[in-house]
Amino acid sequence: MRKRLAPVTAEPTTADLAAIDREWPLIAAELDLLDAEITLIYAEDHGGPTALDWRRLRRAEARVTRAAAELAAHPTPHRAA
């Protein structure tokens, strides 16, 4: 039996939008990493990944690491909801 979900009517708060904005560099880096990984998967069907594909993956991984470290180095206090 399926339960119906309640419609979401609340808009994101200013704090929610600020948190997204603060985390955006990490989100963008993770999207780039995902794109590089997908490129490697597709390359398997076309003769295998090139050296440039592997370099792109390593750079994307490094960017995620840097963005995560930067985010962790500047934590923001949590506000009570």
Side-chain angles (χ1 to χ4, degrees):
M1 181 167 129
R2 290 178 55 174
K3 294 182 180 182
R4 294 191 182 225
L5 298 175
V8 177
T9 57
E11 296 290 326
T13 65
T14 303
D16 294 335
L17 295 174
I20 292 169
D21 190 46
R22 191 174 88 76
E23 294 175 13
W24 189 253
L26 178 58
I27 294 167
E30 289 174 336
L31 288 171
D32 287 344
L33 176 59
L34 179 62
D35 191 47
E37 291 171 338
I38 290 169
T39 299
L40 287 178
I41 291 169
Y42 283 130
E44 289 296 326
D45 295 336
H46 303 324
T50 65
L52 186 59
D53 293 333
W54 289 111
R55 181 178 179 190
R56 182 175 178 220
L57 178 68
R58 287 191 308 272
R59 285 183 172 204
E61 289 170 340
R63 185 173 169 213
V64 167
T65 302
R66 284 191 309 272
E70 180 68 26
L71 190 60
H74 299 96
T76 58
H78 295 294
R79 293 177 37 192

